[in-house]
Amino acid sequence: MIPASTGHPVLPRIIGVILLLSGLALVFGGIKLLMLGGSWYYLPAGLAVGIAGLLLLWRNASALGLYGLFLIMSTIWAWSEMGLDWWQLVPRLALWFGLGLLLILPWFRKPLLTPSTSPVHTGILSIGLLLAGGSALISQFMDQDKYSLKGTLARNSTDMTSTAPTQPAGDWQSYGRTAFGDRYSPLAQITPENVQKLEVAWKYRIGDVPGENDPHETTAENTPLKVNGKLYVCTPHSKVIALDPDTGKEIWRFDPQLSTQRAGTFKNWAHMTCRGVAYHDDAEYAQQTSGIKIPANATPAASNTTASATANIGNSSPVAINADSLVTTVTPASANVTNTAKTTCSKRIFVPTADTRLIAINADTGQMCREFGKDGSVDLTANMGSFTAGGYYSTSPPAVTRDLVIIGGHVTDNLSTDEPSGVIRAYDVHDGHLVWNWDSGNPTQTAPIAANGIYTRNSPNMWSVTAVDEKNGLLYLPMGNQMPDQWGGKRTKASETYSAGVTALDIATGQVRWTFQMTHHDLWDMDVGGQPTLIDIKTAQGVQPALMASTKQGSIYVLNRLTGKPVYPVKEMPVPQGHEKEVLASGEYYSPTQPISAINFVPKMSEKDMWGGTPFDQLTCRIQYRSMNYEGIYTPPSLRGSLVYPGNFGVFDWGGISVDPVRQIAFVNPNFMAFKSKLVPREAVANGAARKSEVEGVQPNKGAPFGVILEPFISPTGLPCQAPAWGYIAAIDLTTGKKIWMHKNGTVRDNSPLPLFFKMGVPSLGGTITTAGSVGFLSGTLDQYLRAYDMKSGKELWRGRLPAGAQTTPMTYAGKDGRQYVLVMAGGHGSLGTRKGDYVYAYKLPKT
């Protein structure tokens, strides 16, 4: 007979029903996981939980002891998989701990007890709770993140100085501050000692927000320029606004009055983006002379007949770029330009528009420079052939040299095999006539195309930002791919040579000087997204004129920018090979090796890394993981489905990296997020989920034998299937190629139902900047902050709250008042789901 108690007999039965249902779910899921070769834990765990539930329904006190044994077993299993990693332990144990805590409360426990009940059952449950709860408590003080690294940069400087093109210290004249893409400011007013005093100097709203007819991925990825005594901001709809740097007051506004290319709406476009504008000043180039000499070490060793950089094509045989073109004297970029026309725009802003124009604007007045092109603009649809509205335009600012404005373009991913050309075109900076064109599908013919000619369809493009070494006459292109991304059975020899790498062109002629491929036969959308960064590096072998290319796969390639030879080793490593006969029969093949740089952030994943808010999330993620092909990075796409890790947002994307040329360090923000890809036979493409964007839903790949379904790797509750951290900041010692420090970065404040401030390490989209004051800045995290860091240790020193997501790269400048400002555009990002807005925020130190 059960004695009277303070509990109600229904209460343990409620827990019993929960445990029984939970146990059944774990048993069925555990059997499926075991059949896929996964963890053994979930089947016995499900049996234990289910039996404990039945015992509770029968009001049998042995349920307490059995549940306690289950908690003990689960805790030991969690230890064996991930140690005392708090973010890994909590999803494994929190739910079970909470239910156990309820069971030990008198209201739930006492209805189970009789005079003959052994206290052992309660004791075992108590031990289980102490073990699970104690582990979680201790783990909060343990940092077992597998990528974190504590370290400190010992030096304040080296004997190196910046060799980037000179400009006033208080200006930010190019997208990457200089044409070198270094994102380094010599301003030093803001320091680790005073940065916490930063306060909002002014705010401005641009008045350009996403509308109902805009694409899902409408983004404010703009990094403004500060030059000519003004700030120049561009908006997603290609508007350009000049602001006063000290007050944020609008000086002028230019609206290109976008057409919709007869589409009637932008809604079906892949995205709507303007990353920035470019600036040109005639007076800035007035003193330049011709006949600039390339340093002697630019000439390749030995016979001078083969290049130092190679690229694997279909059979992975090397392709050499003839190095005879690596001449010792470079004709300046004006050699093929004859322009005596008078200009009304000695200072001009160039903006590429979403409706496929390149417009020149008077930097002083905001009026179009009518002598450029046709009435102030060049039509970038010329010689491109047909394409869907929004399928081709330039999302990134062009490069400018003394006499040229040079531009590539975005091509919508994975629509078809008949997309516009990836041609790079150089126009006269004054009158807009075409000087040369480099089409990677026809790479040797750089003379301007005939009026009725069409550039090579579907050749690899360059959608990001170039870097320019005008002194040595070289332009550096971060290259994309021939479409589609996940199937390459019909790619041409030329596309295999120039895709997914960096190609150096002669500024004057557009001829190739060298090319270096970072992903052979790319099937993962691992195009080079970031602007290459140019810096002279002090290595053990002497000072090297270097180019640094950050990549989606996580390698940072450091090359001699004059020859293309690696400065730090690059090894060809064996990679997974696909074995699906249907795919191979379509003409597909796989590169047996891929080039991995000695400086890399290449991630690894195992089933133990599966995550989620509950054990059920973890179980379903483990089943997903085991149901796909995954043998590490470069696992080929498949009909079964493949895990793409890192995903196509990359370890590094269009934000690139920043460097401090004096201290000789690089400041980077690696991200680790996985995606899924699954090839779909042509006849089944129409039955798949709708295409949501270039990175989600069914990608039709018209003209290829397969479409592909792309999805983020997430749990049923929408949480990432992989455990945090997902985003970091890190520093690299460029004199050694070694990491100095690496720390989790960002919180889930703006990505959870409650404003939680847990520092989990969240992804960031956008780049870093560094300053002579030894302070770096980053704004691209999923939470709405601009952050400042100590460049010696990586310690977060300050953060400023923003009203929207700031998936962009900040910048810094000096105002007319002589004070240093830090500025960021906060407009949100459609694909990442951050809060949208139209804000420009400027910060500065208070007056002393």
Side-chain angles (χ1 to χ4, degrees), residues 446-457:
T446 62
I449 193 170
N452 61 349
I454 299 294
Y455 294 114
T456 307
R457 298 289 290 178

Side-chain angles (χ1 to χ4, degrees), residues 20 67 73 103 112 164 174 189 245 262 294 457 481 643 646 693 727 777 801 807 812:
L20 179 59
Y67 194 82
M73 177 190 76
L103 283 176
L112 305 176
S174 298
Q189 192 178 99
R262 299 172 301 280
I294 288 183
R457 298 289 290 178
N481 292 318
L643 183 65
S693 71
F777 293 91
R801 182 69 174 161
Q807 282 65 57
T812 185

